[in-house]
Amino acid sequence: DAVRGLVEGGARLARQQEPPAWALGSPEPPDHWEHDLPKAWPVEVRRGETLQLLAGWAGTEADTLRDDNRETLKQRRWLRDGERLTVTMSANQKLAFDRARERFHEDRLADYFSRHYVEKVVLYVVKRGDKISSVAKAYGDAPLWLLASFNHTDFRSLQPGDEVLIPVVAAIGSRGQAPPAPQVVDERGTPLAPPRVEGVAGRLDADLMGRARMAVDD
């Protein structure tokens, strides 16, 4: 069916993807950047990132990063998913930043799916007054960063009638048996009709679903 094909295709895609250029024998970013002039780089915050993480990846201090973005952050010491910050780095520092950042997100995804799998995906229709984090909690313990990865949208801009995909996860059993492909259901748990599943399948992230399946199969 559509979801099974998407999962299997995503797994093949994940296996076929080439590693980034820096993993193909390119020189490591240098530890010193005296001759590499810094400039301001725009960085969009991803869910789960903190000032300390961003500063560490950029080779600077969290206080420096906060001062450079005082107009955006005001007095906040926490970050909002999707907000844009300015990080001052040289080109080589930016390369090291991107590398460390991607490793963090890859490791988080791999670690999570080493212990969990996607049991089903709920197609939820937003109601007036809904708080998506609370709605998702009603369906299980999927972390918010995974919910965000499934939807690629700013939850603050949701309106009544919008649709959100909520992954329902379960723990991988000790026997290591591969679970069945996930179902797509409505908010009451009723499996969607095939034509509706086809439409939802096109919104699922094939690479994300494939990575989840690879972790179980491996």
Short mmCIF file of all heavy atoms in Angstrom, two decimals, residues 154-185:
data_model
loop_
_atom_site.label_atom_id
_atom_site.label_comp_id
_atom_site.label_asym_id
_atom_site.label_seq_id
_atom_site.Cartn_x
_atom_site.Cartn_y
_atom_site.Cartn_z
N ASP A 154 5.27 25.77 11.08
CA ASP A 154 5.31 26.55 12.31
C ASP A 154 3.98 26.34 13.02
O ASP A 154 2.93 26.82 12.57
CB ASP A 154 5.51 28.03 11.96
CG ASP A 154 5.65 28.90 13.20
OD1 ASP A 154 5.44 28.38 14.33
OD2 ASP A 154 5.97 30.09 13.05
N PHE A 155 4.00 25.61 14.12
CA PHE A 155 2.77 25.31 14.84
C PHE A 155 2.06 26.56 15.35
O PHE A 155 0.86 26.54 15.61
CB PHE A 155 3.05 24.35 16.00
CG PHE A 155 3.47 22.98 15.56
CD1 PHE A 155 4.51 22.31 16.20
CD2 PHE A 155 2.84 22.35 14.51
CE1 PHE A 155 4.90 21.04 15.80
CE2 PHE A 155 3.22 21.08 14.09
CZ PHE A 155 4.25 20.43 14.73
N ARG A 156 2.80 27.66 15.50
CA ARG A 156 2.18 28.89 16.00
C ARG A 156 1.23 29.50 14.97
O ARG A 156 0.39 30.33 15.32
CB ARG A 156 3.27 29.90 16.38
CG ARG A 156 4.11 29.48 17.57
CD ARG A 156 5.32 30.36 17.73
NE ARG A 156 6.24 30.23 16.60
CZ ARG A 156 7.37 30.89 16.47
NH1 ARG A 156 7.72 31.76 17.41
NH2 ARG A 156 8.15 30.72 15.43
N SER A 157 1.37 29.11 13.70
CA SER A 157 0.54 29.70 12.66
C SER A 157 -0.67 28.82 12.31
O SER A 157 -1.42 29.15 11.39
CB SER A 157 1.37 29.93 11.39
OG SER A 157 1.81 28.68 10.84
N LEU A 158 -0.87 27.72 13.03
CA LEU A 158 -1.97 26.82 12.72
C LEU A 158 -3.32 27.48 12.97
O LEU A 158 -3.49 28.26 13.91
CB LEU A 158 -1.87 25.54 13.55
CG LEU A 158 -0.72 24.58 13.20
CD1 LEU A 158 -0.68 23.43 14.20
CD2 LEU A 158 -0.86 24.05 11.78
N GLN A 159 -4.28 27.14 12.10
CA GLN A 159 -5.63 27.65 12.22
C GLN A 159 -6.61 26.48 12.34
O GLN A 159 -6.30 25.36 11.90
CB GLN A 159 -5.99 28.48 10.98
CG GLN A 159 -5.10 29.69 10.75
CD GLN A 159 -5.24 30.73 11.84
OE1 GLN A 159 -6.35 30.95 12.36
NE2 GLN A 159 -4.14 31.36 12.23
N PRO A 160 -7.78 26.69 12.95
CA PRO A 160 -8.77 25.62 13.00
C PRO A 160 -9.06 25.08 11.59
O PRO A 160 -9.21 25.85 10.65
CB PRO A 160 -10.01 26.33 13.58
CG PRO A 160 -9.44 27.43 14.42
CD PRO A 160 -8.23 27.91 13.66
N GLY A 161 -9.08 23.75 11.49
CA GLY A 161 -9.29 23.11 10.20
C GLY A 161 -8.01 22.62 9.55
O GLY A 161 -8.05 21.78 8.65
N ASP A 162 -6.85 23.16 9.98
CA ASP A 162 -5.58 22.66 9.46
C ASP A 162 -5.36 21.23 9.93
O ASP A 162 -5.86 20.82 10.98
CB ASP A 162 -4.41 23.53 9.95
CG ASP A 162 -4.38 24.90 9.30
OD1 ASP A 162 -5.09 25.08 8.28
OD2 ASP A 162 -3.68 25.80 9.81
N GLU A 163 -4.59 20.48 9.15
CA GLU A 163 -4.31 19.09 9.49
C GLU A 163 -2.87 18.93 9.96
O GLU A 163 -1.94 19.50 9.38
CB GLU A 163 -4.55 18.19 8.28
CG GLU A 163 -6.01 18.13 7.86
CD GLU A 163 -6.23 17.26 6.63
OE1 GLU A 163 -5.27 17.01 5.88
OE2 GLU A 163 -7.39 16.83 6.42
N VAL A 164 -2.69 18.15 11.01
CA VAL A 164 -1.37 17.87 11.58
C VAL A 164 -1.18 16.36 11.62
O VAL A 164 -2.10 15.62 11.96
CB VAL A 164 -1.25 18.45 13.00
CG1 VAL A 164 0.07 18.06 13.65
CG2 VAL A 164 -1.39 19.97 12.98
N LEU A 165 0.01 15.92 11.25
CA LEU A 165 0.36 14.50 11.33
C LEU A 165 1.04 14.24 12.67
O LEU A 165 2.07 14.83 12.98
CB LEU A 165 1.31 14.12 10.19
CG LEU A 165 0.76 14.33 8.77
CD1 LEU A 165 1.85 14.05 7.74
CD2 LEU A 165 -0.45 13.45 8.52
N ILE A 166 0.44 13.36 13.47
CA ILE A 166 0.97 13.05 14.78
C ILE A 166 1.49 11.62 14.80
O ILE A 166 0.72 10.67 14.66
CB ILE A 166 -0.10 13.21 15.88
CG1 ILE A 166 -0.63 14.64 15.89
CG2 ILE A 166 0.46 12.83 17.25
CD1 ILE A 166 -1.75 14.88 16.89
N PRO A 167 2.83 11.43 14.92
CA PRO A 167 3.36 10.07 14.99
C PRO A 167 3.08 9.44 16.35
O PRO A 167 3.27 10.08 17.39
CB PRO A 167 4.86 10.28 14.77
CG PRO A 167 5.12 11.65 15.31
CD PRO A 167 3.89 12.45 15.01
N VAL A 168 2.60 8.22 16.32
CA VAL A 168 2.40 7.45 17.56
C VAL A 168 3.50 6.41 17.60
O VAL A 168 3.61 5.57 16.70
CB VAL A 168 1.02 6.78 17.58
CG1 VAL A 168 0.85 5.94 18.84
CG2 VAL A 168 -0.09 7.84 17.50
N VAL A 169 4.34 6.48 18.62
CA VAL A 169 5.51 5.60 18.68
C VAL A 169 5.32 4.55 19.76
O VAL A 169 4.54 4.72 20.70
CB VAL A 169 6.79 6.41 18.94
CG1 VAL A 169 7.06 7.38 17.80
CG2 VAL A 169 6.70 7.17 20.26
N ALA A 170 6.05 3.46 19.60
CA ALA A 170 6.05 2.38 20.59
C ALA A 170 7.48 1.89 20.75
O ALA A 170 8.33 2.10 19.88
CB ALA A 170 5.14 1.24 20.13
N ALA A 171 7.73 1.26 21.88
CA ALA A 171 9.07 0.75 22.16
C ALA A 171 9.33 -0.52 21.35
O ALA A 171 8.42 -1.34 21.15
CB ALA A 171 9.23 0.46 23.65
N ILE A 172 10.55 -0.66 20.86
CA ILE A 172 10.94 -1.88 20.14
C ILE A 172 11.06 -3.02 21.15
O ILE A 172 11.69 -2.87 22.20
CB ILE A 172 12.27 -1.67 19.40
CG1 ILE A 172 12.09 -0.62 18.31
CG2 ILE A 172 12.78 -2.98 18.81
CD1 ILE A 172 13.38 -0.25 17.59
N GLY A 173 10.45 -4.15 20.83
CA GLY A 173 10.48 -5.29 21.73
C GLY A 173 11.86 -5.90 21.85
O GLY A 173 12.73 -5.73 21.00
N SER A 174 12.07 -6.64 22.93
CA SER A 174 13.37 -7.25 23.19
C SER A 174 13.71 -8.33 22.18
O SER A 174 14.88 -8.66 21.98
CB SER A 174 13.39 -7.84 24.60
OG SER A 174 12.35 -8.80 24.75
N ARG A 175 12.71 -8.89 21.50
CA ARG A 175 12.98 -9.93 20.51
C ARG A 175 13.53 -9.38 19.21
O ARG A 175 14.03 -10.12 18.38
CB ARG A 175 11.70 -10.72 20.23
CG ARG A 175 11.16 -11.48 21.45
CD ARG A 175 9.92 -12.26 21.08
NE ARG A 175 9.38 -12.99 22.23
CZ ARG A 175 8.30 -13.75 22.18
NH1 ARG A 175 7.63 -13.87 21.04
NH2 ARG A 175 7.88 -14.38 23.26
N GLY A 176 13.40 -8.06 19.02
CA GLY A 176 13.95 -7.44 17.83
C GLY A 176 13.17 -7.73 16.56
O GLY A 176 13.70 -7.59 15.47
N GLN A 177 11.92 -8.16 16.67
CA GLN A 177 11.12 -8.45 15.50
C GLN A 177 10.65 -7.16 14.85
O GLN A 177 10.21 -6.24 15.53
CB GLN A 177 9.92 -9.32 15.87
CG GLN A 177 10.30 -10.70 16.39
CD GLN A 177 9.09 -11.50 16.83
OE1 GLN A 177 8.09 -10.93 17.25
NE2 GLN A 177 9.18 -12.81 16.72
N ALA A 178 10.73 -7.11 13.53
CA ALA A 178 10.30 -5.91 12.82
C ALA A 178 8.79 -5.77 12.91
O ALA A 178 8.05 -6.71 12.63
CB ALA A 178 10.73 -5.99 11.35
N PRO A 179 8.30 -4.59 13.32
CA PRO A 179 6.85 -4.38 13.41
C PRO A 179 6.26 -4.17 12.02
O PRO A 179 6.98 -3.94 11.05
CB PRO A 179 6.75 -3.10 14.25
CG PRO A 179 8.00 -2.36 13.93
CD PRO A 179 9.06 -3.42 13.74
N PRO A 180 4.94 -4.24 11.91
CA PRO A 180 4.31 -3.98 10.61
C PRO A 180 4.44 -2.53 10.21
O PRO A 180 4.76 -1.67 11.04
CB PRO A 180 2.84 -4.36 10.87
CG PRO A 180 2.66 -4.15 12.34
CD PRO A 180 3.96 -4.55 12.96
N ALA A 181 4.21 -2.26 8.93
CA ALA A 181 4.25 -0.88 8.46
C ALA A 181 3.17 -0.07 9.19
O ALA A 181 2.11 -0.61 9.52
CB ALA A 181 4.01 -0.84 6.96
N PRO A 182 3.44 1.20 9.47
CA PRO A 182 2.47 1.99 10.23
C PRO A 182 1.17 2.23 9.46
O PRO A 182 1.16 2.34 8.25
CB PRO A 182 3.22 3.31 10.47
CG PRO A 182 4.21 3.38 9.36
CD PRO A 182 4.63 1.97 9.10
N GLN A 183 0.09 2.31 10.21
CA GLN A 183 -1.20 2.68 9.64
C GLN A 183 -1.37 4.19 9.71
O GLN A 183 -0.75 4.86 10.53
CB GLN A 183 -2.35 2.05 10.43
CG GLN A 183 -2.61 0.58 10.16
CD GLN A 183 -3.89 0.13 10.86
OE1 GLN A 183 -4.10 0.42 12.03
NE2 GLN A 183 -4.74 -0.57 10.13
N VAL A 184 -2.23 4.71 8.85
CA VAL A 184 -2.63 6.11 8.95
C VAL A 184 -4.09 6.11 9.38
O VAL A 184 -4.94 5.49 8.74
CB VAL A 184 -2.47 6.85 7.61
CG1 VAL A 184 -2.89 8.30 7.77
CG2 VAL A 184 -1.03 6.77 7.13
N VAL A 185 -4.37 6.78 10.50
CA VAL A 185 -5.71 6.75 11.08
C VAL A 185 -6.20 8.17 11.33
O VAL A 185 -5.41 9.13 11.34
CB VAL A 185 -5.72 5.96 12.41
CG1 VAL A 185 -5.22 4.53 12.19
CG2 VAL A 185 -4.87 6.66 13.47
#
